[in-house]
């Protein structure tokens, strides 16, 4: 249940509605990109939210070889929070994602 956001990111909205407040979850995926900064995973309620602003919880480095790079990140869910996965948009190098999955710890 992934929605396309504006240019260069995925907004995970529908999947977040099924999470339980205060529980720890893990987001995992694989990616590759030619850019030096392939992307980032942001978590929070909004860019200007005073209680839980969107924060870069997992910067993604360059991944230019043929193999996919696997990443995982833990977060504690707060009602109304969202995950946004940004690619390296705007500088000419695409970032590819696959096998997005989440699990509760």
């Amino acid at each position: 249940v992934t929605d396309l956001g504006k240019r260069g990111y995925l907004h995970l909205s529908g999947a977040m509605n099924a999470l339980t407040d205060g529980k720890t979850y893990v987001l995992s995926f694989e990616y590759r990109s030619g850019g030096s900064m392939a992307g980032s995973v942001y978590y929070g309620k909004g860019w200007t939210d005073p209680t839980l602003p969107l924060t870069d919880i997992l910067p993604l480095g360059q991944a230019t070889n043929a193999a996919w790079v696997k990443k995982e990140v833990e977060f504690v869910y707060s009602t109304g929070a969202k995950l946004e996965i940004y690619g390296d948009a705007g500088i000419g190098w695409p970032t590819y994602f696959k096998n997005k999955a989440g699990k509760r710890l």
Side-chain angles (χ1 to χ4, degrees):
V1 183
T2 302
D3 299 326
L4 291 176
K6 303 255 188 233
R7 178 180 172 193
Y9 77 92
L10 300 172
H11 176 78
L12 305 178
S13 60
M16 300 297 281
N17 294 331
L19 303 183
T20 303
D21 189 62
K23 300 291 183 183
T24 301
Y25 294 87
V26 175
L27 172 70
S28 64
F29 57 89
E30 295 174 70
Y31 79 98
R32 65 181 181 199
S33 173
S36 62
M37 182 58 197
S40 290
V41 176
Y42 285 84
Y43 174 74
K45 293 184 178 182
W47 292 110
T48 59
D49 186 89
T51 60
L52 187 61
L54 276 171
T55 303
D56 187 352
I57 61 171
L58 181 64
L60 305 173
Q62 189 170 18
T64 55
N65 60 21
W68 290 84
V69 175
K70 182 173 182 174
K71 288 290 186 176
E72 291 187 347
V73 62
E74 287 186 18
F75 62 95
V76 176
Y77 181 68
S78 178
T79 301
K82 58 187 173 182
L83 283 165
E84 294 181 354
I85 303 174
Y86 282 75
D88 202 4
I91 65 165
W93 295 102
T95 301
Y96 302 95
F97 296 97
K98 71 176 188 175
N99 298 328
K100 294 176 299 298
K103 66 180 177 181
R104 187 173 126 188
L105 296 180

